[in-house]
Structures are given as C-alpha cells and as structure tokens.
Amino acid sequence: MQRWPVLLFLAWVCFLFFAGIGLFMSGFLLTRIELASSSSCSDPLVPPPWERQSLPPGSCWAPQRFAKAVLVIIDALRFEFAHFNPAKASPLPYENKLSFLHRLATSQPRHARLYRFRADPPTATMQRIKGLTTGSLPTFIDVGSNFATYAIQEDNLLAQLVQNGRRVVFMGDDTWEGLFPKKFFRSYFFPSFNVKDLHTVDDGILQHLYPTVDSGEWDVVIAHFLGVDHCGHKHGPDHPEMAKKLTQMNEMLRSLVDHLGNDTLLLVAGDHGMTETGDHGGDSEKEVNAALFVYSKTPLFGTSPPEEPEAVPQVNLVPTVALLLGVPIPYSNIGEVMAELFSGDGDAVSAALQQLSVYHINAKQVDRFLHSYSLVAQDLPAEQLQHLQELFSSAMEEHTQLLAQVQGETLVPPELESRLGSLISRFQLYLREARAVCTQSWARFHPLRMVGGCTLIAASCLLCYVASELAASSDSFYRRYLLYPLLWGLVVAVLLGLAHAFTQEGLDLLLVLSWAAAASQLGFFWHWWGQHPKRVRLAGSQPPLATVSLRERLRAWLRLAFPMGILLFRCGAMFSDSFVVAEAQVAPFLLASLVMLLVGKLHWDGRLTVPEGPKQQLLGFSSYRREIWYLLCLVAMLLVCVRLSGFFHQCREEIPQCRPSLFLSPLASLRNTRAKNLFYLLCVALLAGLVYAVRSWLRHYGNLNSSDPLVLFVRWCFPLVVLCIACYWAVASSADDSLGKLQELVQVAVVAFPWAVYGLASVGLLLLLCNPMTVFAKDTRESAGSIVTPYLGVPSSEVNFLHVIPQIYKRMQESQKSRLERGSCKATVAAYGLGSVYSAALVIALTLLGFLLMLLHSERLSLAFLLLFLEAFVLLHIHTRAKGLAGDAEPFSVPWYAVISWLLAASQFFYSTGHQPIFPAIHWNAAFVGFHLDHSTNLLPAVLVGANTFASHILFAVGCPLLLLWPFVCEMPSSQRKKPKEELQEVEEHMMEMRLRECPEKFSTALLQLGLKYLFVLGTQLLACVCAAMILRRHLMVWKVFAPKFLFESLGFMVSSICLLLGISLVMRVDCAVSTWFSQLQLR
C-alpha cells in the first residue's frame, strides 16, 4: 500500500487551496493604512482669537474647560440599560436599574445629559477601544485580533494626554495593557477573558477607584468595568444576575459623584451593546446602540435637553474630550466635536462663537488628515475628495469673513446669530460627509489579488476532480502528477526568492507561495494534457452511442447529475443573502432531498422491485425484499434525525421572529430545579447510552476480546470519561448556588474534571496511535479438519470459543492449507476483530473526539451530538444498502452522493450545535472549560473556541474514511446475491475489511480518490463563498452576511482538510500495524 504518496498528494492539494484562500483574503480584507503622524500644540490649526485673547496656560488649540476627567466604561452598556422609564410598572431585569443617572439628568438638566452612543461595527471590545481613543474606524479584519491585541501605533487620546504631561490612571480590563503599553501613570489590570467571572474585575476596580480619586494624584482616570458584559455572555440580559450587576453599577456611580470636584468631567459610556442572548460583535441595532452619560458639577449645557436622547457616533467623543481637556485632537480622528459641551454660561452669540471655534479646529484637523492620507493611499475616491475640499474651502472662506466682521463690529446680534448658525451647519455637513466617505471607502479591495485567489481555488477544484478520475487509470500517477508539479512550484519559488534577493525588495511570502501554487497547478495540467490527448479523453469519457442504449446513457448521466445538482444548488444559494441567513434550514432540506433522490433513482433503475421468476427463488428474493425495507426504514430514520436537529438552532438578528433554542443555554441558567435535574439525568443517560452503543458495536465485531492496552482503555476508561463529564456538568450547573468552603471545592472541581477528561482522551488517542490493533489472535492444535471456518459472530459458549473463527488474510489460509497437504503439524489461527480493524480504530477515535467536543459545549447540546452520531450511523448504512442494491461493480469507489450527503450532514450539524457564521454566535465560554483564571497565551483559547465552533467539521472529516470501509464491514449484500445457492453453501469467508488488503494498490487509490472527492466538494462550496464575496463586495449586506460567511467557510475548510488528513493517516497507521501483525504471525 502506498501510504506516503497518498498523504503527500492530499497535503499538496490542501496547500493549493490554502494559498488561494490567503491570496483572496489579502485582497478582500485589507486593513486601512495607519499614518505615523501625530498632532502637537505647535500645529497651525488655531483660528485667530475673535476676542484677541491668547490661550490660557496648559491649553492646546482651544481653552481648557476641565482640569480633570473620569471615564467610566461599563462594557456592553446598552442604551436600554441606562435609560429610565418611570411608566414601567414591572421592568425587566435590565430596565430602570441605573436610576441615579435619571435623577441627575432630571434634577440638573444643565449639568447632565444622556446620549445614544452609536458604535461602529465590529462591536468587539478591542475595536471599540481603538475607536474611543483614536477617533478613527477599525476595519472588518481587526475583529480577528480581538484577543491578540497589538499596541496602537496610531496617534490617540492617551498618547496626547501623556505627551502633554497629564497623569493617566487606569483600572480594569487588561486589554488596555496590550493596546497602550507604558502609557499609564498608574495602572491596575485584571484578567478580562474569562466571561464566566462576573466579579473579579469589578471588585478590583472598586477597591482602587475611590482612594485614587480622593488622592488627587491624577488628571484622567479610566475605569473599565466588565461585569455587565460577562453577565450578558453567561446569563443573557434578561436574568436576575443582570439586575444585581446593574444595581452595583448604580451604587458605584452614586458614590463616585460624591468624590468628584467641580473641575472634573464625568463620562459614563458603554463600548457597545448586546443582543438578547448577551452576545456582541456584529452590527445589529442592539449591538451598536450603547449609552453615554455626561456630567459635571459646573454647568455644561446652554440649552435644555431634547425630548428624545440625541444619537452620537462614538468617534465624536475623541475630539470632544481632547479639546475640553486642552490637548490636541489625535491626527487620524474623523469624529465631530459635541459642540453643545462648549456653550459655556454666556449668551447665545457667545456660545455660538465658541462652538464655531471648536468646529473650525475640528474641520482643519480632519482636512489635514484626509490630505495626508490621500497622499499615501488611493482608496478614497478622488471626486469625493474634491467635493469635500470644496465644502471645506467655502466654509473656511466664510469663516474668515465672519471673524473679520465680528472684530469690526459691523453685524448686529440677530444677523450675527443667523450667520453663525448657518456656518456651524456647513462645518457639520463637511465633517459628517468626510466621515461617511471614509466609512464607505475603508473596505479597501485589491481586485487582482481577489481574482488570483479565486482562480487558484477554482483551479484546485478542477485538479481534485481530474485527479480523482486519473488516480485509478495511470500507472505512474504520483511521478507524473505529484513529483513534476512539485518541482515546478519549487523552481518558481526559488526564482522569485532569488529575484527578491537581487533587487533587495521586501519579500512578500504570501505572493511567493501563491505563485508557487499556481506553477505547480500549471505543471499538473500540463502533464495531464500531454499524457491524455484530446481524442483519447473524448473517446474514453463516454461510450459510443451505437453500443449504449439511451436509457443506459441517461442512467449514467443521472448518476452524476443528481448529487452534483444538489451541490450546485447549494453553491448558487451562497449568492443570496436570504439563503445564507436561512442556511440552517437549507442544509437539512438539501440532505433530505439528496437521500430521497437516491431512493427515486434506485426505483428508476428497478432496484426497489423484487424480480419475478423461478430463478429468483434460488437467489433468495426474501432477503432482497428485506434489504429494500431496511433501506426505506433507514431513510425514514434519517428524516426524523433531520427534523429533530432543528430544535438546537441559534437565531440570527436578521430573523426577528426566531427564538433561540432552549437547549443552547447551560443548565446553570435554569431556575426550575426539577427541570434542571431532569435535563441533567437525560444528558448523562444518553451519554452513557453512546458508550454502551460503541462498546456493543466493537464487541459484536470481536474488537473487545484482546487484552491490549487500547482494548482495556475502551472497556474501563470510556465509562470513567462519562463519569468525569457527568461530575463536571453537575458542579458547573450548581456552581452559583454553592456557599462558603463548598464554593472553593466547586471551583477546584470545575477545573479538575475537565482536565481529567482531557487527560484520559489524550491517553486514549496516544494508545490508538501507538498500537491501533484491536485484534485477538489464538493459536490452537487440531488433528484434522478444515483450517478455516466461516465467521459466525461473537462466541456464545466455550465450545464455540474453541471453534475457529477466521477473519484472516486469504494468502495465510492458502499457506496453512499447503502446510497441511505436506503433512506438517497444523496450527490454526483464530482472529477476532480483524475484519473490522480499520473501522474500529476510527470509531474509537471519533468517540474520544466526541467526548472532548461535548465537554466544550453546554450540557444540553450533548443531545445534539448524540443525534449527530446516530445520523452519521444511518447515513453509512443507507450508503451501504444503496450500494448493495445498485449492484455496484466498483467496491473500492465511493459514489459522489455519499460524499456530498456526508458534507451536507456536517453543515447541518454546524447549525444544530448552536452555531451561526456570525461573530456574536461564537461560544467564547469554551475557552474556559477547565480553566478558572485567564490564559497566559492566546493559542490555547483559540484552539478550544475553534474546536467548539467547528465540532461537526472535525467529526465528519475524521470519519470520512468510513464511507469506504463501512460497506466492507457490512459485507455488501450484492456480492452474496449474485452467487448461486450451491456456491453459497460452500464456504465463502466473510473477509470484510481484509478484502481491502487483497488489493493494496486499489486500497491506497480508493483512499486518495475519497480524499480528493471530499476536498472537491469542500472546495466548490468555498469557491461559491469566495465568488459571492468578490462579486457582491459593494452589496449592502457584505459585512453583515457575505464576509462572515466567507471567513467561517474558509476556516471550516482548513479545519476539515486537516482533520481529513488525520483520519486517512489513522487508517494508514492501522494498515501498517496490520502488516506488522501478519509478519509476526507468520514467524510463529
């Protein structure tokens, strides 16, 4: 069996796809260019003083209104959390809890005001911090670095404060430590990533907040509370814990105001909102609608507040706070000042003049930034920049004229007030249009890279299809279609590297890898075209019309058309945002449709009707009828599984009438103790049922008879793993109810039990890798009789145990017979489990992976995993029965419908395990299963969250070789029906999977073809997502629907392809062990 060439070919194909994904992503998800420039007090942006006064000491650009400021960030403070509605008689847990803000705003309307604080998507914490400090817009791709923060190099508010001698004290979310290293006068950081911890960060802040404020050794205090956000992630907003947390924040603000001086500005802000499930990251109304509360003990506003709170973009806070504190506005800011905070106590004209002054500074700063940015980047449209320049120039000209008239006192107050209002409106128009232009244009695309990546992926799909057809027909397949293309790619990579070395230019590794991938693809197609002339291909692709009937040709076409039609329909749906949004219902429908089409095709071919005639009596048509009914029952069972899987779906914001499944929330969120206990017992019972089913299957095929370490592990450690998972579920669901010393014990158990599962599963996988054989061999002595007898199942008595049960390679049988004929002393070998040795290893691996993945999900989603295993088992049997009824003459070939249905099931259970291809639906809790405190590295939480998200991809990809193995395990009925009754009475041993070893070349080719078909279907789906994202890149829903779908599909492809290689590698490891076992047996 050729093991390494198969793995190398599949790995090379995966590399081709990865190169295409990387190249397309580099053109589709480019970040904007960050300018290195920074503002300073000496910049010529200050207007001529209209009252001939110079700036007071300590001020830059504008007079300083406040000496100190306290910024309280309550993470995920949605506007509804801060808004008080006295008409609500029975408010929800998150409503009317911040009553102190309402009392301040109503009792002191000129001192306090509440705003709707509009966040720019993506609504992840790191991106919001960047927006709140730089005044700029983070791009879509930045969301991927939310938990791998990088120091902000762009000019920002904290840098300006430090540069101008202000002391900044921070306490709270340690995300700020990575963004602003060594920027704080004093800091108290607390771990932020453990979303199950509601109190550590908040209690740490409260311990330092009031002493710090009272000490006076600060100019700006930033306190970033996380309890509300973590409570939303853990329980959702509609939970009593949210009421407790918001009440705590209300008391904190009440006490904080008492400690503030008259020269201090208080800002209470939410960085983003949250959905009804407590998540965030997207751009739904509830996620972008945060709250901002402004308060000062000195009057701030010159007018009464509006009836409805005003909506303010978050970037507007940066220029406002900078000018209020007397420091320059950050260089890259595109926000607009909140002019009402600069009104002062004077009359309307005086207030308008002060507002006009800050608008003038703000407009000049934005114009300078746009001019500098347009010199280094070409992503801002020239015509729109020209229009903005005209707006700015006309406003500046009028501003100069107006100031001259004010100094000459040639305008009377009513006319002056009207002119000032008109000019302020023009500056507002300029600033808002500039921000809109940047918002629209910073989705920077690189068309050539996008087209190149799309082409690489399309060529890789074509290569998979062609190679799957060539693998069985070429004698020197690997030399022509693997070695030569690899040499082509290597030569191109070396040449590009040398060219970069000689030109001394920066080496773009992604471009080099992409060109190498393209060259290797070209080498493959070049050799394919040269070895297979067009006339040969045409002659071999379809039979002559004269010798094949129309019905036969139609059947041959339908054999490929039905599954490919379903695949093309799924790919076409990727271009519709409605279909992408509703894909949780589309994927199960397509799976059910494909299976029903398979049944219809069998009926069309006459395979579901029992032939009549005396000859059929000899062939046992009763067993044939039994096979038909068995197939129909399996199809019915599959439809039931598909229907039941719909009870575990997560909802998208685009479907307002949808309600998320109750099974998604952890048991700890249930308030009804009886319901919690019933669900717990059901989950544990079904988990135990899974172990019983796996062990029964292994015992049925004789794979639990030996005393090897792996078999002992399956016997004793599988129940132990179930016990550890059950104990973890028990303590995790009651962790919030425990008190005192019991609480400490629970905290230890919540970490210990997952680690026990991790350890046991790791030991099992290592045992599987070291010795995957689950075969029990027994040597006996006999005086006479046959060497081999048919396999009759698991031995039921001692007599049967002594009787020989052979599942051994035919060549060994012949060798034993020849020794008997020579009169030598005969040794009979009984081998239990040899006929299912490949499948047994895969089933054990899948069970261990299932334990790990169920641990990373909430307790009740274990029901979805059990449904996943049942549906996979049903699909394998449908494939086996359909293949047997169809009389397939190619036992080493897996038909396309089986591969496509397998992948549709993987997509179906991606949604049925509570996931959606959107960032708010990611289960971040998985990063802390088995970890009580924060992680020291981002790699481990990324692996845990990735395993949680792509659990179905992992299981179905690792289990993909079962599509090839299962018909052999079940001993295809068609092979028995075709033999006369007399021959059946003669012994034909159930060789099962040992038939694969009769033709090792065909076995390795079959694994290669299966892997290529799997990658072809995955790649076709990926290609559809890539094309949809590229073609619809200016679509209204591109960042809401198509871009997240592309990212999830790309990551899913990478996870699936790697797990596919691992699954095929496991089969080859078993094959190597089987070869060693036979060699050792022959030496006895």
Side-chain angles (χ1 to χ4, degrees), residues 80-86 94-107 114 243 246-251 253-254 293:
E80 288 82 356
F81 298 178
H83 184 61
F84 191 90
N85 185 1
Y94 60 82
E95 292 179 326
N96 291 359
K97 296 300 182 291
L98 297 181
S99 56
F100 181 67
L101 301 185
H102 175 70
R103 187 168 70 81
L104 283 179
T106 52
S107 62
L114 179 66
L246 289 173
T247 302
Q248 181 190 29
M249 293 296 99
N250 189 60
E251 295 305 315
L253 293 171
R254 189 191 307 274
F293 183 79

mmCIF file of all heavy atoms in Angstrom, residues 80-86 94-107 114 243 246-251 253-254 293:
data_model
loop_
_atom_site.group_PDB
_atom_site.id
_atom_site.type_symbol
_atom_site.label_atom_id
_atom_site.label_comp_id
_atom_site.label_asym_id
_atom_site.label_seq_id
_atom_site.Cartn_x
_atom_site.Cartn_y
_atom_site.Cartn_z
ATOM 1 N N GLU A 80 -30.698 50.792 26.528
ATOM 2 C CA GLU A 80 -31.866 50.449 27.335
ATOM 3 C C GLU A 80 -31.491 50.214 28.794
ATOM 4 O O GLU A 80 -32.336 50.356 29.685
ATOM 5 C CB GLU A 80 -32.554 49.199 26.775
ATOM 6 C CG GLU A 80 -33.282 49.413 25.472
ATOM 7 C CD GLU A 80 -32.360 49.365 24.267
ATOM 8 O OE1 GLU A 80 -31.132 49.232 24.463
ATOM 9 O OE2 GLU A 80 -32.869 49.462 23.138
ATOM 10 N N PHE A 81 -30.220 49.848 29.060
ATOM 11 C CA PHE A 81 -29.789 49.632 30.437
ATOM 12 C C PHE A 81 -29.703 50.961 31.197
ATOM 13 O O PHE A 81 -29.955 50.993 32.408
ATOM 14 C CB PHE A 81 -28.422 48.942 30.485
ATOM 15 C CG PHE A 81 -28.374 47.576 29.869
ATOM 16 C CD1 PHE A 81 -27.184 46.874 29.807
ATOM 17 C CD2 PHE A 81 -29.517 46.981 29.348
ATOM 18 C CE1 PHE A 81 -27.123 45.605 29.245
ATOM 19 C CE2 PHE A 81 -29.471 45.722 28.774
ATOM 20 C CZ PHE A 81 -28.268 45.034 28.722
ATOM 21 N N ALA A 82 -29.325 52.039 30.501
ATOM 22 C CA ALA A 82 -29.138 53.336 31.151
ATOM 23 C C ALA A 82 -30.390 54.202 31.113
ATOM 24 O O ALA A 82 -30.561 55.090 31.946
ATOM 25 C CB ALA A 82 -27.982 54.088 30.493
ATOM 26 N N HIS A 83 -31.261 53.954 30.165
ATOM 27 C CA HIS A 83 -32.479 54.764 30.021
ATOM 28 C C HIS A 83 -33.487 54.375 31.097
ATOM 29 O O HIS A 83 -33.723 53.193 31.351
ATOM 30 C CB HIS A 83 -33.076 54.557 28.634
ATOM 31 C CG HIS A 83 -34.270 55.418 28.360
ATOM 32 N ND1 HIS A 83 -34.213 56.787 28.363
ATOM 33 C CD2 HIS A 83 -35.565 55.099 28.084
ATOM 34 C CE1 HIS A 83 -35.398 57.284 28.085
ATOM 35 N NE2 HIS A 83 -36.248 56.275 27.917
ATOM 36 N N PHE A 84 -34.085 55.385 31.721
ATOM 37 C CA PHE A 84 -35.060 55.148 32.799
ATOM 38 C C PHE A 84 -36.449 55.504 32.307
ATOM 39 O O PHE A 84 -36.695 56.603 31.806
ATOM 40 C CB PHE A 84 -34.697 55.995 34.027
ATOM 41 C CG PHE A 84 -35.477 55.639 35.262
ATOM 42 C CD1 PHE A 84 -34.992 54.678 36.133
ATOM 43 C CD2 PHE A 84 -36.696 56.250 35.544
ATOM 44 C CE1 PHE A 84 -35.705 54.337 37.272
ATOM 45 C CE2 PHE A 84 -37.416 55.904 36.676
ATOM 46 C CZ PHE A 84 -36.918 54.947 37.546
ATOM 47 N N ASN A 85 -37.360 54.541 32.463
ATOM 48 C CA ASN A 85 -38.746 54.749 32.046
ATOM 49 C C ASN A 85 -39.639 54.624 33.269
ATOM 50 O O ASN A 85 -39.989 53.508 33.686
ATOM 51 C CB ASN A 85 -39.133 53.725 30.984
ATOM 52 C CG ASN A 85 -40.528 53.970 30.421
ATOM 53 O OD1 ASN A 85 -41.206 54.924 30.817
ATOM 54 N ND2 ASN A 85 -40.968 53.121 29.517
ATOM 55 N N PRO A 86 -40.047 55.743 33.856
ATOM 56 C CA PRO A 86 -40.855 55.666 35.088
ATOM 57 C C PRO A 86 -42.231 55.048 34.865
ATOM 58 O O PRO A 86 -42.886 54.638 35.828
ATOM 59 C CB PRO A 86 -40.970 57.135 35.525
ATOM 60 C CG PRO A 86 -40.624 57.949 34.329
ATOM 61 C CD PRO A 86 -39.737 57.123 33.462
ATOM 62 N N TYR A 94 -33.046 44.148 33.296
ATOM 63 C CA TYR A 94 -32.051 45.126 32.862
ATOM 64 C C TYR A 94 -32.619 46.542 32.757
ATOM 65 O O TYR A 94 -31.908 47.464 32.357
ATOM 66 C CB TYR A 94 -31.447 44.714 31.521
ATOM 67 C CG TYR A 94 -32.433 44.579 30.380
ATOM 68 C CD1 TYR A 94 -32.858 45.696 29.668
ATOM 69 C CD2 TYR A 94 -32.942 43.341 30.016
ATOM 70 C CE1 TYR A 94 -33.760 45.585 28.623
ATOM 71 C CE2 TYR A 94 -33.830 43.206 28.965
ATOM 72 C CZ TYR A 94 -34.236 44.330 28.276
ATOM 73 O OH TYR A 94 -35.126 44.218 27.238
ATOM 74 N N GLU A 95 -33.865 46.757 33.105
ATOM 75 C CA GLU A 95 -34.501 48.068 32.938
ATOM 76 C C GLU A 95 -34.603 48.798 34.278
ATOM 77 O O GLU A 95 -34.824 48.187 35.332
ATOM 78 C CB GLU A 95 -35.901 47.901 32.335
ATOM 79 C CG GLU A 95 -35.887 47.399 30.900
ATOM 80 C CD GLU A 95 -37.280 47.217 30.315
ATOM 81 O OE1 GLU A 95 -38.194 46.842 31.081
ATOM 82 O OE2 GLU A 95 -37.440 47.435 29.107
ATOM 83 N N ASN A 96 -34.436 50.138 34.187
ATOM 84 C CA ASN A 96 -34.656 51.043 35.325
ATOM 85 C C ASN A 96 -33.760 50.727 36.524
ATOM 86 O O ASN A 96 -34.151 50.954 37.673
ATOM 87 C CB ASN A 96 -36.128 51.011 35.761
ATOM 88 C CG ASN A 96 -37.045 51.640 34.734
ATOM 89 O OD1 ASN A 96 -36.597 52.116 33.700
ATOM 90 N ND2 ASN A 96 -38.337 51.652 35.018
ATOM 91 N N LYS A 97 -32.578 50.206 36.261
ATOM 92 C CA LYS A 97 -31.663 49.907 37.358
ATOM 93 C C LYS A 97 -30.659 51.035 37.598
ATOM 94 O O LYS A 97 -30.160 51.185 38.705
ATOM 95 C CB LYS A 97 -30.910 48.597 37.078
ATOM 96 C CG LYS A 97 -31.814 47.386 37.007
ATOM 97 C CD LYS A 97 -32.567 47.171 38.296
ATOM 98 C CE LYS A 97 -33.453 45.938 38.285
ATOM 99 N NZ LYS A 97 -34.593 46.078 37.379
ATOM 100 N N LEU A 98 -30.364 51.839 36.579
ATOM 101 C CA LEU A 98 -29.442 52.974 36.750
ATOM 102 C C LEU A 98 -30.257 54.233 37.037
ATOM 103 O O LEU A 98 -30.237 55.222 36.290
ATOM 104 C CB LEU A 98 -28.569 53.145 35.507
ATOM 105 C CG LEU A 98 -27.629 51.974 35.193
ATOM 106 C CD1 LEU A 98 -26.797 52.268 33.958
ATOM 107 C CD2 LEU A 98 -26.718 51.666 36.368
ATOM 108 N N SER A 99 -30.984 54.197 38.118
ATOM 109 C CA SER A 99 -31.893 55.301 38.445
ATOM 110 C C SER A 99 -31.132 56.567 38.819
ATOM 111 O O SER A 99 -31.662 57.684 38.664
ATOM 112 C CB SER A 99 -32.801 54.886 39.604
ATOM 113 O OG SER A 99 -32.012 54.490 40.728
ATOM 114 N N PHE A 100 -29.891 56.440 39.290
ATOM 115 C CA PHE A 100 -29.130 57.623 39.691
ATOM 116 C C PHE A 100 -28.838 58.522 38.489
ATOM 117 O O PHE A 100 -28.862 59.755 38.614
ATOM 118 C CB PHE A 100 -27.826 57.189 40.364
ATOM 119 C CG PHE A 100 -26.983 58.334 40.829
ATOM 120 C CD1 PHE A 100 -27.405 59.174 41.859
ATOM 121 C CD2 PHE A 100 -25.759 58.603 40.229
ATOM 122 C CE1 PHE A 100 -26.628 60.237 42.268
ATOM 123 C CE2 PHE A 100 -24.979 59.666 40.638
ATOM 124 C CZ PHE A 100 -25.413 60.488 41.663
ATOM 125 N N LEU A 101 -28.565 57.932 37.336
ATOM 126 C CA LEU A 101 -28.352 58.744 36.138
ATOM 127 C C LEU A 101 -29.595 59.533 35.783
ATOM 128 O O LEU A 101 -29.517 60.715 35.395
ATOM 129 C CB LEU A 101 -27.938 57.842 34.967
ATOM 130 C CG LEU A 101 -26.663 57.011 35.131
ATOM 131 C CD1 LEU A 101 -26.350 56.271 33.838
ATOM 132 C CD2 LEU A 101 -25.492 57.882 35.544
ATOM 133 N N HIS A 102 -30.743 58.908 35.892
ATOM 134 C CA HIS A 102 -32.008 59.602 35.596
ATOM 135 C C HIS A 102 -32.245 60.745 36.578
ATOM 136 O O HIS A 102 -32.693 61.837 36.186
ATOM 137 C CB HIS A 102 -33.158 58.596 35.649
ATOM 138 C CG HIS A 102 -34.509 59.212 35.479
ATOM 139 N ND1 HIS A 102 -34.939 59.737 34.277
ATOM 140 C CD2 HIS A 102 -35.532 59.401 36.359
ATOM 141 C CE1 HIS A 102 -36.155 60.201 34.412
ATOM 142 N NE2 HIS A 102 -36.542 60.029 35.670
ATOM 143 N N ARG A 103 -31.933 60.514 37.849
ATOM 144 C CA ARG A 103 -32.139 61.575 38.846
ATOM 145 C C ARG A 103 -31.238 62.768 38.575
ATOM 146 O O ARG A 103 -31.668 63.929 38.687
ATOM 147 C CB ARG A 103 -31.882 61.009 40.246
ATOM 148 C CG ARG A 103 -32.226 61.990 41.363
ATOM 149 C CD ARG A 103 -32.236 61.279 42.702
ATOM 150 N NE ARG A 103 -30.911 60.885 43.123
ATOM 151 C CZ ARG A 103 -30.034 61.724 43.721
ATOM 152 N NH1 ARG A 103 -30.372 62.987 43.938
ATOM 153 N NH2 ARG A 103 -28.857 61.293 44.095
ATOM 154 N N LEU A 104 -29.973 62.509 38.196
ATOM 155 C CA LEU A 104 -29.069 63.614 37.872
ATOM 156 C C LEU A 104 -29.563 64.389 36.656
ATOM 157 O O LEU A 104 -29.534 65.638 36.645
ATOM 158 C CB LEU A 104 -27.658 63.083 37.607
ATOM 159 C CG LEU A 104 -26.805 62.683 38.809
ATOM 160 C CD1 LEU A 104 -25.460 62.156 38.329
ATOM 161 C CD2 LEU A 104 -26.601 63.853 39.759
ATOM 162 N N ALA A 105 -29.973 63.663 35.602
ATOM 163 C CA ALA A 105 -30.381 64.331 34.366
ATOM 164 C C ALA A 105 -31.644 65.154 34.548
ATOM 165 O O ALA A 105 -31.813 66.200 33.903
ATOM 166 C CB ALA A 105 -30.590 63.285 33.265
ATOM 167 N N THR A 106 -32.549 64.729 35.409
ATOM 168 C CA THR A 106 -33.809 65.473 35.599
ATOM 169 C C THR A 106 -33.658 66.596 36.623
ATOM 170 O O THR A 106 -34.265 67.662 36.463
ATOM 171 C CB THR A 106 -34.915 64.511 36.053
ATOM 172 O OG1 THR A 106 -34.459 63.754 37.196
ATOM 173 C CG2 THR A 106 -35.283 63.541 34.935
ATOM 174 N N SER A 107 -32.851 66.377 37.647
ATOM 175 C CA SER A 107 -32.695 67.418 38.666
ATOM 176 C C SER A 107 -31.688 68.496 38.258
ATOM 177 O O SER A 107 -31.793 69.642 38.704
ATOM 178 C CB SER A 107 -32.259 66.790 39.992
ATOM 179 O OG SER A 107 -31.001 66.154 39.848
ATOM 180 N N LEU A 114 -27.979 62.383 28.836
ATOM 181 C CA LEU A 114 -27.837 61.006 28.348
ATOM 182 C C LEU A 114 -27.910 61.013 26.828
ATOM 183 O O LEU A 114 -28.780 61.669 26.239
ATOM 184 C CB LEU A 114 -28.930 60.111 28.929
ATOM 185 C CG LEU A 114 -28.915 58.640 28.494
ATOM 186 C CD1 LEU A 114 -27.678 57.924 29.013
ATOM 187 C CD2 LEU A 114 -30.182 57.927 28.981
ATOM 188 N N ALA A 243 -29.698 42.214 36.851
ATOM 189 C CA ALA A 243 -30.258 43.234 37.738
ATOM 190 C C ALA A 243 -29.302 43.536 38.894
ATOM 191 O O ALA A 243 -29.086 44.705 39.255
ATOM 192 C CB ALA A 243 -31.614 42.771 38.266
ATOM 193 N N LEU A 246 -26.228 45.582 37.425
ATOM 194 C CA LEU A 246 -26.569 46.977 37.102
ATOM 195 C C LEU A 246 -26.835 47.781 38.380
ATOM 196 O O LEU A 246 -26.486 48.973 38.456
ATOM 197 C CB LEU A 246 -27.783 47.018 36.183
ATOM 198 C CG LEU A 246 -27.539 46.535 34.747
ATOM 199 C CD1 LEU A 246 -28.843 46.456 33.968
ATOM 200 C CD2 LEU A 246 -26.560 47.448 34.016
ATOM 201 N N THR A 247 -27.419 47.147 39.376
ATOM 202 C CA THR A 247 -27.626 47.835 40.657
ATOM 203 C C THR A 247 -26.286 48.169 41.304
ATOM 204 O O THR A 247 -26.112 49.249 41.884
ATOM 205 C CB THR A 247 -28.466 46.951 41.585
ATOM 206 O OG1 THR A 247 -29.713 46.655 40.959
ATOM 207 C CG2 THR A 247 -28.717 47.647 42.911
ATOM 208 N N GLN A 248 -25.331 47.258 41.186
ATOM 209 C CA GLN A 248 -23.992 47.542 41.698
ATOM 210 C C GLN A 248 -23.371 48.735 40.979
ATOM 211 O O GLN A 248 -22.742 49.595 41.607
ATOM 212 C CB GLN A 248 -23.106 46.302 41.545
ATOM 213 C CG GLN A 248 -21.698 46.490 42.086
ATOM 214 C CD GLN A 248 -20.776 45.340 41.702
ATOM 215 O OE1 GLN A 248 -20.961 44.704 40.675
ATOM 216 N NE2 GLN A 248 -19.774 45.073 42.537
ATOM 217 N N MET A 249 -23.539 48.815 39.662
ATOM 218 C CA MET A 249 -23.012 49.949 38.898
ATOM 219 C C MET A 249 -23.704 51.250 39.308
ATOM 220 O O MET A 249 -23.076 52.318 39.369
ATOM 221 C CB MET A 249 -23.208 49.703 37.405
ATOM 222 C CG MET A 249 -22.392 48.550 36.827
ATOM 223 S SD MET A 249 -20.594 48.809 36.900
ATOM 224 C CE MET A 249 -20.174 47.843 38.361
ATOM 225 N N ASN A 250 -24.998 51.181 39.603
ATOM 226 C CA ASN A 250 -25.742 52.370 40.025
ATOM 227 C C ASN A 250 -25.193 52.904 41.352
ATOM 228 O O ASN A 250 -24.996 54.125 41.511
ATOM 229 C CB ASN A 250 -27.222 52.012 40.148
ATOM 230 C CG ASN A 250 -28.091 53.241 40.380
ATOM 231 O OD1 ASN A 250 -28.116 54.145 39.545
ATOM 232 N ND2 ASN A 250 -28.792 53.265 41.502
ATOM 233 N N GLU A 251 -24.932 52.016 42.291
ATOM 234 C CA GLU A 251 -24.382 52.443 43.575
ATOM 235 C C GLU A 251 -22.961 52.966 43.424
ATOM 236 O O GLU A 251 -22.559 53.921 44.112
ATOM 237 C CB GLU A 251 -24.421 51.280 44.566
ATOM 238 C CG GLU A 251 -25.829 50.816 44.926
ATOM 239 C CD GLU A 251 -26.680 51.964 45.451
ATOM 240 O OE1 GLU A 251 -26.170 52.753 46.287
ATOM 241 O OE2 GLU A 251 -27.838 52.088 45.021
ATOM 242 N N LEU A 253 -21.750 54.579 40.806
ATOM 243 C CA LEU A 253 -21.832 55.934 40.256
ATOM 244 C C LEU A 253 -22.315 56.934 41.305
ATOM 245 O O LEU A 253 -21.843 58.085 41.352
ATOM 246 C CB LEU A 253 -22.769 55.937 39.043
ATOM 247 C CG LEU A 253 -22.259 55.157 37.816
ATOM 248 C CD1 LEU A 253 -23.348 55.046 36.766
ATOM 249 C CD2 LEU A 253 -21.035 55.833 37.225
ATOM 250 N N ARG A 254 -23.249 56.511 42.150
ATOM 251 C CA ARG A 254 -23.747 57.399 43.206
ATOM 252 C C ARG A 254 -22.606 57.797 44.151
ATOM 253 O O ARG A 254 -22.463 58.969 44.517
ATOM 254 C CB ARG A 254 -24.865 56.684 43.974
ATOM 255 C CG ARG A 254 -25.619 57.600 44.956
ATOM 256 C CD ARG A 254 -26.511 56.764 45.876
ATOM 257 N NE ARG A 254 -27.381 55.880 45.120
ATOM 258 C CZ ARG A 254 -28.563 56.236 44.636
ATOM 259 N NH1 ARG A 254 -29.002 57.476 44.827
ATOM 260 N NH2 ARG A 254 -29.303 55.363 43.981
ATOM 261 N N PHE A 293 -23.272 58.926 29.121
ATOM 262 C CA PHE A 293 -23.805 59.878 30.090
ATOM 263 C C PHE A 293 -22.698 60.868 30.440
ATOM 264 O O PHE A 293 -21.586 60.463 30.788
ATOM 265 C CB PHE A 293 -24.297 59.160 31.343
ATOM 266 C CG PHE A 293 -24.931 60.068 32.356
ATOM 267 C CD1 PHE A 293 -26.238 60.500 32.191
ATOM 268 C CD2 PHE A 293 -24.216 60.496 33.463
ATOM 269 C CE1 PHE A 293 -26.826 61.345 33.135
ATOM 270 C CE2 PHE A 293 -24.789 61.335 34.403
ATOM 271 C CZ PHE A 293 -26.098 61.761 34.243
#
